[in-house]
């Protein structure tokens, strides 16, 4: 290849970015220089973070070092935040003052929250009381402490935004994990699911069965609860048409959009929220040489915002970037898959999986009919698969 002097900068060391950084190094046989910009010292996984809320796992269990990327793969790691992108000069500006030139830029910055949609939470201090815990880390631990401090007989309420949002089944898994904790430690307590959507958005029959059986009298599901604001002092949620709901622990998952750095690069093209990409390369449809992965993109039909899918985006993109920097054509017909496990108890799990194939005529990725499926019922065997999935994907992206 003649990509020997080529420079790729990756912004964001999560499921998409870390995978892309590693695979470009591997597939270019170390010839392409890759710099990864990420402010966190270690990778903390959102998948399995609901188990930290339930109390069966710790944050240390879902934290992985970035050392493998730098020491084994030769990725240059910069612990900093990208603050601006100059797409004409092809440079990334960092908070620390440095500027990184690139031939190809890969953005996998995840999501930001649209606080304007929940006006009381525009105030950062209010967000210390009404937590989202939708990025694993300090908020996960803070929400766990709120649950521990709640007296038996109290109410935990979780507000779910109207789709699309990061991890469709995640809020329902969270409700199960909190219910699992209450069942053992505070059996008179309740879990209230206040869903902005008209129905459960993923694995509906499986979750509903768990709430009716394993968590009978603990979990209550209420659809069509579109949050408009909260009263922080009284932990009251307000809705467009439904009555107010007061809770002892109020957990608001706000509406989301691509993280701010995507806006700076000018790649936010869908509904002022998400980034449209060419699914052959994951290059922005608007800005050349800038690729976008993971939760930040405007997805194709039935393509979930998941860590597994971000990992798949990254591999398609990495292969395309290595090809393009070597003067070759990218694979014209990429195939992606998704597997998503949800923990009902600390060990019983259900899954959904799907396969997605590029359609050259329609220029999009479409689900392959008859491929994939849903668990018939929760099981401990699937729990073992789910823990295996986590270890494998962490090794795949960071090892
Ligand atoms: C509770 C919960 C449970 C989930 N469970 C599952 C599951 O079981 N399976 C599954 O597949 N998915 C699951 N997900 C979804 C999964 O976490 C996301 O889809 C995935 O993290 C998306 O990857 P990403 O690379 O787009 O973003 P992320 O993994 O969030 O990575 C983004 C990275 O970019 C960095 N960043 C942002 N802005 C900048 C900047 N300006 N400069 C430098 N760095 C920046 C951030 O620090 C972060 O590390 C879950 C999510 C949640 C919240």
């Amino acid at each position: 290849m003649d990509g020997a002097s080529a420079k790729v900068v990756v912004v964001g060391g999560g499921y998409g970015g870390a995978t892309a950084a590693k695979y470009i190094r591997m597939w270019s046989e170390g010839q392409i220089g890759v710099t990864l910009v990420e402010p966190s010292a270690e990778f903390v996984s959102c998948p399995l973070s609901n188990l930290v809320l339930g109390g069966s796992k710790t944050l240390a269990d879902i934290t992985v070092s970035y050392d493998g990327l730098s020491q084994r793969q030769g990725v240059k790691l910069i612990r900093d935040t990208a603050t601006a992108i100059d797409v004409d000069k092809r440079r990334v500006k960092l908070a620390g003052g440095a500027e990184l030139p690139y031939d190809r830029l890969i953005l996998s910055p995840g999501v930001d929250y649209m606080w304007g949609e929940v006006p009381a939470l525009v105030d950062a201090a209010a967000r210390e009381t009404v937590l989202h815990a939708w990025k694993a880390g300090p908020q996960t631990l803070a929400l766990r402490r709120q649950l521990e401090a709640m007296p038996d007989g109290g109410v935990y309420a979780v507000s779910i935004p109207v789709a699309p949002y990061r991890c469709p089944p995640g809020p329902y898994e969270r409700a199960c994990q909190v219910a699992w904790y209450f069942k053992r430690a505070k059996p008179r307590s309740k879990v209230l699911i206040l869903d902005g959507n008209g129905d459960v958005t993923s694995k509906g029959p499986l979750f509903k069965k768990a709430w009716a059986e394993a968590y009978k009298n603990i979990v209550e599901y209420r659809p069509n609860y579109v949050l408009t604001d909260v009263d922080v002092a009284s932990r009251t949620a307000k809705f467009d048409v439904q009555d107010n709901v007061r809770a002892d622990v109020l957990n608001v998952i706000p509406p989301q959009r691509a993280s701010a750095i995507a806006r700076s690069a000018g790649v936010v093209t869908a509904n002022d929220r998400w980034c449209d990409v060419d699914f052959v390369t994951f290059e922005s449809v608007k800005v050349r040489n800038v690729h976008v992965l993971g939760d930040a993109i405007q997805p194709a039909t039935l393509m979930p915002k998941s860590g597994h899918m971000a990992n798949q985006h990254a591999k398609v993109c990495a292969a395309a970037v290595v090809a393009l920097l070597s003067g070759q054509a990218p694979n014209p017909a990429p195939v992606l898959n998704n597997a998503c496990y949800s923990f009902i108890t600390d060990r019983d799990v259900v899954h959904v999986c799907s396969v997605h194939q590029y359609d050259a005529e329609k220029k999009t990725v479409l689900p392959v009919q008859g491929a994939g499926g849903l668990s018939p019922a929760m099981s401990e065997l699937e729990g073992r698969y789910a823990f295996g999935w986590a270890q494998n994907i962490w090794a795949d992206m960071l090892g």
Side-chain angles (χ1 to χ4, degrees), residues 10-18 37-40 42-50 53 66 78 80-83 94 108-113 133-136 166-171 173-174 203 259-262 293-296 304-311 313 338-343 389 393 397:
V10 181
V11 172
Y15 276 87
V37 183
E38 165 60 52
S40 309
E42 293 174 300
F43 169 80
V44 184
S45 175
C46 286
L48 298 198
S49 68
N50 284 329
L53 296 178
Y66 281 116
I78 298 187
D80 207 337
T81 300
T83 50
L94 305 186
S108 194
V111 292
D112 274 350
Y113 304 112
W134 215 237
K135 286 183 187 175
R166 155 173 288 184
C167 193
E173 178 190 62
R174 174 168 292 183
K203 305 171 187 153
S259 270
I261 194 66
L293 311 176
D295 290 354
K305 292 190 183 295
S306 76
H308 189 116
M309 190 46 92
N311 170 276
H313 295 170
N338 186 63
C340 175
Y341 294 97
S342 296
F343 281 79
W389 171 88
I393 200 162
M397 59 194 275

Side-chain angles (χ1 to χ4, degrees), residues 67-248:
D67 286 353
L69 277 186
S70 52
Q71 290 167 13
R72 270 194 291 282
Q73 308 300 340
V75 173
K76 185 175 176 205
L77 279 174
I78 298 187
R79 194 171 162 203
D80 207 337
T81 300
T83 50
I85 314 280
D86 184 331
V87 296
D88 297 323
K89 293 193 184 132
R90 291 198 206 165
R91 294 179 91 81
V92 179
K93 295 184 185 162
L94 305 186
E99 288 197 13
L100 305 175
Y102 64 82
D103 297 300
R104 295 260 164 190
L105 172 64
I106 298 177
L107 300 177
S108 194
V111 292
D112 274 350
Y113 304 112
M114 299 165 73
W115 293 119
E117 306 283 309
V118 194
L121 297 183
V122 171
D123 173 16
R127 305 203 293 262
E128 302 288 313
T129 304
V130 176
L131 304 168
H132 57 78
W134 215 237
K135 286 183 187 175
Q139 284 240 342
T140 315
L141 295 178
L143 183 55
R144 171 67 191 173
R145 282 195 296 273
Q146 288 189 354
L147 293 167
E148 283 172 341
M150 191 190 88
D152 190 10
V155 174
Y156 159 80
V158 56
S159 161
I160 306 174
V162 174
Y165 58 87
R166 155 173 288 184
C167 193
Y172 312 111
E173 178 190 62
R174 174 168 292 183
C176 290
Q177 287 306 303
V178 175
W180 179 79
Y181 168 57
F182 285 173
K183 194 172 170 176
R184 291 159 59 249
K186 309 182 187 215
R188 294 189 299 114
S189 307
K190 301 276 175 239
V191 172
L192 206 47
I193 306 171
L194 305 168
D195 196 341
N197 300 284
D199 202 352
V200 176
T201 59
S202 175
K203 305 171 187 153
L206 293 164
F207 281 122
K208 285 179 184 168
K209 188 170 157 61
W211 301 332
E213 294 174 5
Y215 300 124
K216 188 169 187 300
N217 301 325
I218 298 180
V219 175
E220 183 184 334
Y221 177 73
R222 296 188 191 169
N224 297 313
Y225 271 67
V226 180
L227 191 80
T228 53
D229 206 354
V230 296
D231 180 67
V232 177
S234 63
R235 293 188 165 92
T236 299
K238 304 174 185 178
F239 303 93
D240 57 350
V241 285
Q242 316 283 4
D243 289 342
N244 292 353
V245 175
R246 209 201 73 77
D248 298 283

Side-chain angles (χ1 to χ4, degrees), residues 343-357:
F343 281 79
I344 304 294
T345 70
D346 61 332
R347 64 195 64 188
D348 297 296
V349 164
V350 294
H351 83 274
V352 62
C353 60
S354 51
V355 180
H356 306 255
Q357 163 91 63

